[in-house]
Amino acid sequence: MQAAVDWINGWVWSPALVYLCLIVGLYFSVRTRFMQVRHMGEMVRQMFTGKSSSAGVSSFQALTIALSGRVGTGNIAGVATAIGFGGPGAIFWMWMVAFLGAATAYIESTLGQIYKTEHHGLYRGGPAYFIEKGLGWRAYAIVFAVATMIACGILLPGVQTNSIAAGMQNAFGVAPAVTGTIIVILLGLIIFGGVRRIAQVTQIVVPFMALGYILAAAVVVLLNIEKLPGVITLILSSAFGIEAGFGAMIGLAIQWGVKRGVYSNEAGQGTGPHAAAAAEVSHPAAQGLVQAFSVYVDTLFVCTATAFMILITGTYNVTGADGTQVFTGLANIAAGTGYTQAAMEAVLPGFGAVFVAIALFFFAFTTVLAYYYIAETNLAYLTRNIRSDALMFVLRIALIGSALYGCVRTSDLAWGMGDIGVGVMAWLNIVAILVLQKPALLALKDYEAQQEKGRLQPEFDPRALGIENADLWVERAEKRNGRA
């Protein structure tokens, strides 16, 4: 099984996809005139603008749903594996894919908003919707929806719960089967309550968990502040093959940094547009800006906190392409959660491993909730013309089963299957947004033009921009004009 998964991964995560993620991010950064820099203040402002409605969630709730997907085991275990197989230089490439990926996140999330629909009283949207409505590629949209249901409903949840189980066993000695049982019960209570219950949970848990983790990491860094300049130098020199010890690993640094960066912040993967489409906003670009900022929160804040802790304390190993140990700072510990737990334990004995296990539980559990929402949205797309209650029930049971199985399978197999899911979605989504980029770029230009005229909260009319098949927005514009 492991050999088959590794072989598939070799094709899915070939160098072509690694460099495609970077090139596409750079391309969209140029096309949007580096909106991720120019509109930083607007990103923050829009997070707290707008309220939920009977059909949609607020901008902040949409942000937390998206962040619950982005901020997960990739921020703790994923950063550790990037260092373990790509060296310290992998962190620079994680930063780079986040900076450039913020523009990609804007494009895909704005497209999700433009082409969203109302289904059974709730906003639904995502790549499957904008591929069909924006490009007219129904067959391609169905392929994406099926691939995403398999990835988010079956392949990816196990990665998250595997890390939870490993963290709980390391910190508390809890058997993986026991952890799995607890996760199953909690998942069932929440996902059977639908998207509103997911939004209610994530808007409370996500800000608390992210801030708490960053503050704890800051304590570790501050207690070793004299080592921070050396760590930053190590990251930069290793990223470009200058540092002697990791000089031969530049290719692996890029590969693992981009792979784990995309896995963590999900820019270009096609998951973010699902949460973005659920938001109640006056203009699609507003939610695109919010989702761009969520990439920063994930990688530049949370992932960086993990990386600095691990590198400052030296609690990591680095394995070369041929399997030899390039650096050993934590003998007999596999790359993953153990590095982060050891890092915090080294500075805060008796507290570190427990804290990381608890943080990882919240990070990974809320990510599984986001995966369910994404899988449910794609099932809703595939079954929009029929009653799908029975199929929704089957999806929920399948995801819960995957979460339980993930607790007891090996971490290599869990990560391998997860990488396949992420990679396939990224290939399909990136092709779509490259072809269908114009509406998102027009939306940004329209948003900026209205703000220049003094309109603090721009409104969207797709007809004025020549955008077709954005039916929900046309209806809203007609209602506004009728009231005028």
Side-chain angles (χ1 to χ4, degrees):
M1 180 74 169
Q2 184 67 54
V5 168
D6 290 342
W7 182 82
I8 295 171
N9 253 324
W11 283 95
V12 174
W13 276 103
S14 66
L17 180 56
V18 171
Y19 291 106
L20 181 64
C21 291
L22 288 171
I23 292 168
V24 168
L26 176 60
Y27 171 74
F28 284 135
S29 295
V30 173
R31 288 302 308 272
T32 60
R33 295 176 294 125
F34 288 89
M35 50 70 58
Q36 65 266 54
V37 178
R38 294 188 300 112
H39 289 303
M40 183 73 74
E42 187 66 8
M43 292 177 189
V44 176
R45 188 181 76 84
Q46 284 296 342
M47 278 196 298
F48 305 102
T49 302
K51 298 180 179 180
S52 61
S53 67
S54 60
V57 298
S58 69
S59 286
F60 185 73
Q61 287 176 322
L63 171 73
T64 58
I65 292 174
L67 274 175
S68 67
R70 299 188 201 277
V71 178
T73 189
N75 298 81
I76 296 178
V79 172
T81 56
I83 294 171
F85 297 110
I91 301 306
F92 172 83
W93 294 106
M94 289 187 78
W95 291 340
M96 187 57 63
V97 82
F99 174 72
L100 298 176
T104 306
Y106 164 79
I107 295 290
E108 63 182 359
S109 297
T110 301
L111 289 172
Q113 263 287 332
I114 290 172
Y115 294 104
K116 70 183 179 182
T117 64
E118 191 170 332
H119 181 71
H120 294 321
L122 294 173
Y123 291 146
R124 296 283 190 185
Y129 292 82
F130 65 64
I131 289 168
E132 179 180 343
K133 297 180 74 176
L135 295 173
W137 299 355
R138 177 157 171 72
Y140 193 90
I142 291 172
V143 170
F144 181 89
V146 171
T148 303
M149 270 183 36
I150 294 171
C152 293
I154 298 173
L155 299 179
L156 288 166
V159 179
Q160 306 296 325
T161 56
N162 181 272
S163 293
I164 292 175
M168 297 299 282
Q169 187 170 33
N170 189 34
F172 303 107
V174 178
V178 175
T179 300
T181 302
I182 295 170
I183 289 171
V184 164
I185 293 170
L186 291 175
L187 274 177
L189 290 173
I190 296 171
I191 67 176
F192 278 92
V195 63
R196 294 198 177 283
R197 188 172 296 173
I198 293 172
Q200 290 165 359
V201 171
T202 58
Q203 74 174 347
I204 296 171
V205 173
V206 170
F208 168 78
M209 71 182 188
L211 270 176
Y213 184 77
I214 291 169
L215 287 173
V219 170
V220 174
V221 172
L222 287 171
L223 290 174
N224 295 271
I225 195 67
E226 73 282 356
K227 298 179 182 178
L228 185 58
V231 164
I232 295 173
T233 300
L234 177 65
I235 290 172
L236 296 177
S237 60
S238 301
F240 297 99
I242 299 171
E243 204 279 331
F246 306 108
M249 296 186 67
I250 182 170
L252 288 172
I254 297 172
Q255 178 185 341
W256 281 94
V258 173
K259 181 191 289 191
R260 287 291 167 256
V262 171
Y263 186 94
S264 178
N265 64 50
E266 300 184 356
Q269 184 181 321
T271 50
H274 298 90
E280 183 67 79
V281 292
S282 63
H283 197 290
Q287 184 58 203
L289 293 171
V290 170
Q291 294 302 327
F293 186 74
S294 73
V295 173
Y296 285 166
V297 173
D298 171 89
T299 305
L300 300 185
F301 299 161
V302 185
C303 285
T304 299
T306 299
F308 281 173
M309 280 197 299
I310 292 173
L311 295 175
I312 276 177
T313 56
T315 54
Y316 65 97
N317 308 314
V318 178
T319 305
D322 58 358
T324 59
Q325 287 292 108
V326 179
F327 176 84
T328 303
L330 200 63
N332 302 318
I333 300 293
T337 308
Y339 288 10
T340 313
Q341 288 182 308
M344 192 165 279
E345 192 70 22
V347 178
L348 303 169
F351 170 79
V354 171
F355 177 82
V356 172
I358 294 171
L360 185 59
F361 178 88
F362 285 114
F363 278 30
F365 184 78
T366 54
T367 298
V368 176
L369 294 180
Y371 288 158
Y372 168 73
Y373 173 70
I374 294 164
E376 179 190 274
T377 297
N378 283 276
L379 179 58
Y381 166 80
L382 293 168
T383 61
R384 56 194 152 169
N385 296 320
I386 63 173
R387 291 291 299 176
S388 58
D389 293 348
L391 290 173
M392 287 291 182
F393 180 81
V394 170
L395 173 63
R396 290 164 179 165
I397 296 301
L399 182 135
I400 288 172
S402 172
L404 179 61
Y405 178 58
C407 288
V408 296
R409 70 188 180 201
T410 65
S411 61
D412 287 345
L413 182 60
W415 277 99
M417 292 176 69
D419 281 343
I420 291 171
V422 170
V424 170
M425 289 174 64
W427 271 114
L428 293 170
N429 181 63
I430 287 173
V431 169
I433 62 176
L434 279 172
V435 179
L436 185 67
Q437 57 183 278
K438 187 176 179 181
L441 296 172
L442 288 172
L444 180 61
K445 188 176 180 180
D446 177 60
Y447 187 89
E448 292 171 340
Q450 290 190 50
Q451 285 206 318
E452 286 174 4
K453 293 178 180 177
R455 177 170 282 179
L456 194 61
Q457 206 61 36
E459 295 181 333
F460 185 63
D461 186 344
R463 297 168 300 183
L465 304 177
I467 298 173
E468 299 179 351
N469 297 322
D471 302 329
L472 188 145
W473 287 101
V474 170
E475 291 174 12
R476 292 178 64 165
E478 288 176 345
K479 286 180 181 178
R480 282 201 309 270
N481 293 337
R483 290 195 302 266

